[in-house]
Amino acid sequence: MSAVAQQAPKKAPTPKARKSLNAGQARNGLLLVLPTLLFLSVIILYPLINAVVISFEKDAGLDKATGMFVQGGGAGISNYTHWLLQQCGTESCPPGTLGAQFYSAFWVTIFFTVVSVAIETVLGIWFAMIMNRDFKGRALVRAAILVPWAIPTAVTAKLFYFIFAYDGIANHLLGNIGLGPFLWTSDPWAAKFAIIIADVWKTTPFMALLILAGLQLIPSDVYEAAEIDGATKWQTFTKITLPLVKVPLMVAVLFRTLDVLRIYDLPAILTNGVGGTTSLSMLVVSQIRAGGFNSASALSTLVFLLIAFTAFLFIQFGGADVIKRPPGAKKKKDAAPPTAPAATAVAAQSGVTP
Amino acid sequence: MSAPAISWRRSRPWALPVVGLAVGLAFLWPYLVMLLDAFRPSEDVVQTPPSLLPRVWKWSTFGEVLGDERFLAWLKTSLLVSVASTAIVVLVAVPAAYATARFRFPGRMAFLFVVLVTQMFSPTSLVVGIYREFFSLNLVNTYLALILTNAAFNLAFAIWILHGFFSSIPVELEEAAELDGCGRFATLRRVMLPLTLPGLVTATVFTFIAAWNEYVVALTLMLDDTKKPLTVGINSYVTGYEQNWDQLFGASIIAIVPVVILFAVIERHLVGGLTAGSVK
């Protein structure tokens, strides 16, 4: 699949040592991933390739010359230039058409992604640290924090639609402390933040729970050692906790980022694109509804490229060692974080994360 | 120690709980709104200006929803689909994640990337292809189609998260088990799986919730009203013809219950320090 997968073989670590020990690993490994591959190729890869193929075809429709309904035929890259170069037919798209909204949708999607993921990460780490302590009613708190994620997005969006109505509860509460009223669903900035607030409310639990699971892997003796060495709480957090939950944290951030880049339900129900809040996925759906299925496929392929590029950046520069860590790197201490002696090494080493 | 540090130290005992309480309330009050909306007639929900407390209390909502045969049918679909797809995901993802974390084989990284690629396409752009595919397999409007799709959508996350957990377990533990006479499979079952329980719990909970919340595919694939899952079904409480906001929110609250039960049952496995002192 495009850029990312082609990069993969190049990036693969090639430690070919100890062949005898690793004999059979290749066969076993392939055998174990086979079910996944079969599954994904049938259910997802096929429709995915299908979508890419039709993005290079013309929309079916009435032929202007004959008045007959015709299947599209090849379109080259015209579906792509429609979005990227804003070309509708031979001229540039007039303002207000779906094609002309591409760049605004692009930037607002990026804006949603950066702001929501940043807030969710900070809150998520904080919640996870709280939930990781031993206290009475911990199970209850953990379950309560999880619940927003268990509410269907469609319902969350409706709920926040009422909350953010002009004379809704949000304005009512803010009015009590002398703020507002805000036009939450139409003012450009208020509408963006209404969506971000709803998204943060819904998905911080996702982050928190993943980080919580990651925290379980940190052995307590590392903390004891840090305490004996006189580390402050902040040092303990930045030099031990953060580096040691880095892998699950990066997976969570990566998947959240991919998720927000595809955001649809929330803005669709909450603001319906008013105030420049049309996300890329909303544009795809509007285009499908307008009958332009092939150009919609082109747009979703563009969204895919954007997401693939983001994922590539993440893996390359962010939590790279999610994958890079050589499997079965025996006796190489810094490759296995949660062993007590190695932990300090890892902590010291990843103090400056790229 | 500098002055700000001292004053922080003094204010800390009350400042942190206050901030925590504020954030906690901010997170909890939408539930409260939802619960209160379930206890008032639908007209009161949309009436302006809105009131926090119901102007008219209505206690029968939950009884109405639970007595609704359609609701029970949707609930059954959601439970069946979520449980089955979660089971498939765990069964398929554990071997794959273990293999990528422990074995060297050609295409290991390409595999992880391909898995990730499946998460990069918006479901809205896949759904037409999925519908065509299941149509040609004669599986439209069957639970199987929904189960398979949900399982496929969530495999990527499960594999990635489990991969992370498997690779963070010291290899020495496995070697020790092998020396003690455990085979590969026994090592996986007796050493690795118990140690990655936090990861397994996470993958299970997330897959279940994602399947429980899935909307677009179910909307497209399930044509019979009785075979729809909750997410799609509850929308018929509020349509252009009838508006039962109270029932929509009541049904949503009931829909949270299974998730909370599942989480309460397996939450205790989210405990840490399992590998503490395991390798000296």
Side-chain angles (χ1 to χ4, degrees):
Chain A
M1 299 298 95
S2 88
V4 172
Q6 280 160 16
Q7 292 285 355
K10 257 185 265 163
K11 271 161 40 61
T14 44
K16 288 259 162 68
R18 294 203 310 271
K19 268 217 169 112
S20 56
L21 250 176
N22 296 327
Q25 282 201 6
R27 203 196 53 219
N28 286 338
L30 286 174
L31 211 62
L32 291 177
V33 300
L34 197 63
T36 306
L37 279 180
L38 277 178
F39 221 92
L40 291 180
S41 1
V42 173
I43 313 281
I44 296 188
L45 289 185
Y46 168 76
L48 198 148
I49 292 167
N50 193 35
V52 175
V53 167
I54 66 169
S55 74
F56 290 103
E57 290 169 5
K58 278 189 196 127
D59 290 330
L62 298 176
D63 189 321
K64 275 177 194 147
T66 61
M68 301 289 280
F69 186 81
V70 285
Q71 288 296 325
I77 55 163
S78 70
N79 285 326
Y80 289 88
T81 53
H82 169 63
W83 301 107
L84 289 175
L85 304 175
Q86 310 270 286
Q87 284 174 343
C88 293
T90 47
E91 48 214 73
S92 64
C93 294
T97 57
L98 288 174
Q101 290 181 31
F102 175 74
Y103 284 100
S104 115
F106 177 83
W107 287 115
V108 84
T109 306
I110 302 274
F111 177 77
F112 286 151
T113 308
V114 172
V115 178
S116 316
V117 174
I119 299 176
E120 283 160 24
T121 309
V122 173
L123 280 180
I125 292 175
W126 189 34
F127 281 16
M129 307 269 294
I130 293 172
M131 290 191 291
N132 196 32
R133 295 197 183 151
D134 223 346
F135 57 90
K136 264 192 185 155
R138 183 174 70 171
L140 201 71
V141 172
R142 283 177 170 187
I145 286 188
L146 185 78
V147 169
W149 206 57
I151 299 174
T153 315
V155 176
T156 309
K158 273 288 171 216
L159 183 66
F160 276 90
Y161 179 78
F162 282 117
I163 290 173
F164 285 128
Y166 178 72
D167 39 18
I169 302 161
N171 274 344
H172 185 72
L173 287 180
L174 288 173
N176 285 345
I177 53 170
L179 289 174
F182 296 100
L183 293 166
W184 287 106
T185 48
S186 56
D187 177 74
W189 283 105
K192 287 183 186 88
F193 278 99
I195 291 168
I196 287 171
I197 290 169
D199 191 57
V200 166
W201 183 74
K202 184 174 164 58
T203 46
T204 299
F206 172 89
M207 285 285 195
L209 203 70
L210 262 181
I211 297 164
L212 176 66
L215 288 176
Q216 312 309 323
L217 286 175
I218 306 177
S220 53
D221 38 7
V222 185
Y223 287 117
E224 283 156 24
E227 209 180 317
I228 292 170
D229 289 347
T232 64
K233 280 201 169 154
W234 179 249
Q235 281 173 332
T236 314
F237 175 70
T238 52
K239 297 277 160 72
I240 295 178
T241 312
L242 268 192
L244 288 182
V245 294
K246 199 175 144 207
V247 174
L249 181 65
M250 286 317 292
V251 174
V253 172
L254 173 66
F255 275 77
R256 266 313 292 156
T257 308
L258 303 195
D259 230 24
V260 194
L261 284 173
R262 296 179 294 172
I263 191 166
Y264 172 73
D265 329 31
L266 261 184
I269 298 175
L270 203 52
T271 64
N272 198 17
V274 177
T277 49
T278 303
S279 69
L280 283 170
S281 289
M282 285 170 70
L283 206 54
V284 173
V285 174
S286 307
Q287 185 70 15
I288 293 177
R289 291 208 178 122
F293 196 78
N294 299 78
S295 37
S297 288
L299 181 55
S300 48
T301 308
L302 285 174
V303 177
F304 161 73
L305 290 178
L306 167 72
I307 294 175
F309 177 69
T310 315
F312 172 75
L313 288 185
F314 258 92
I315 291 158
Q316 193 72 353
F317 303 109
D321 51 357
V322 176
I323 297 194
K324 267 190 198 151
R325 169 185 302 142
K330 307 184 179 189
K331 305 292 178 282
K332 210 176 151 204
K333 287 286 183 187
D334 57 0
T339 64
T344 29
V346 171
Q349 181 195 60
S350 7
V352 213
T353 348
Chain B
M1 191 169 285
S2 66
I6 290 173
S7 70
W8 168 239
R9 190 148 282 198
R10 226 172 257 163
S11 58
R12 201 187 149 90
W14 58 266
L16 274 188
V18 166
V19 176
L21 196 70
V23 174
L25 275 181
F27 264 78
L28 284 178
W29 73 275
Y31 298 141
L32 188 71
V33 172
M34 197 149 94
L35 192 66
L36 289 171
D37 278 348
F39 283 126
R40 59 173 109 197
S42 188
E43 308 81 56
D44 195 21
V45 177
V46 288
Q47 193 182 330
T48 54
S51 62
L52 185 62
L53 289 179
R55 274 168 283 238
V56 185
W57 289 86
K58 177 189 178 218
W59 301 107
S60 57
T61 310
F62 285 95
E64 284 164 20
V65 171
L66 284 174
D68 184 355
E69 271 179 34
R70 293 184 306 162
F71 177 81
L72 296 178
W74 302 329
L75 186 66
K76 192 189 116 197
T77 308
S78 280
L79 279 175
L80 179 75
V81 169
S82 305
V83 169
S85 45
T86 307
I88 293 179
V89 165
V90 171
L91 282 179
V92 175
V94 166
Y98 181 74
T100 47
R102 281 292 191 260
F103 295 156
R104 278 185 209 140
F105 56 92
R108 187 184 69 92
M109 302 233 317
F111 169 78
L112 283 172
F113 277 112
V114 167
V115 165
L116 196 63
V117 163
T118 62
Q119 289 296 295
M120 296 179 187
F121 254 80
S122 147
T124 42
S125 54
L126 289 182
V127 80
V128 174
I130 290 176
Y131 183 86
R132 280 185 189 161
E133 189 177 9
F134 281 124
F135 187 80
S136 63
L137 293 171
N138 226 350
L139 284 177
V140 170
N141 207 16
T142 60
Y143 295 127
L144 184 64
L146 209 50
I147 291 170
L148 292 179
T149 318
N150 271 309
F153 274 7
N154 294 304
L155 257 180
F157 178 75
I159 290 176
W160 270 64
I161 198 75
L162 285 171
H163 170 86
F165 274 87
F166 277 133
S167 24
S168 60
I169 306 254
V171 187
E172 286 85 344
L173 283 183
E174 269 186 289
E175 289 171 342
E178 264 169 55
L179 280 180
D180 291 346
C182 272
R184 268 280 179 197
F185 184 72
T187 314
L188 178 65
R189 200 172 61 86
R190 295 201 182 167
V191 179
M192 295 298 274
L193 283 187
L195 288 179
T196 43
L197 255 185
L200 216 50
V201 166
T202 318
T204 307
V205 168
F206 283 109
T207 309
F208 187 87
I209 292 183
W212 191 254
N213 279 347
E214 203 287 318
Y215 178 78
V216 180
V217 175
L219 181 69
T220 321
L221 286 181
M222 306 311 263
L223 307 173
D224 282 359
D225 192 45
T226 52
K227 283 189 173 174
K228 286 175 181 164
L230 275 173
T231 44
V232 178
I234 58 176
N235 287 301
S236 51
Y237 283 126
V238 178
T239 63
Y241 302 104
E242 47 171 351
Q243 304 206 316
N244 299 307
W245 287 105
D246 52 333
Q247 296 187 353
L248 173 69
F249 288 127
S252 305
I253 289 175
I254 300 173
I256 301 170
V257 174
V259 177
V260 173
I261 292 177
L262 169 78
F263 190 67
V265 170
I266 61 177
E267 180 269 343
R268 75 193 67 156
H269 298 300
L270 270 180
V271 287
L274 292 174
T275 53
S278 59
V279 187
K280 292 277 170 180

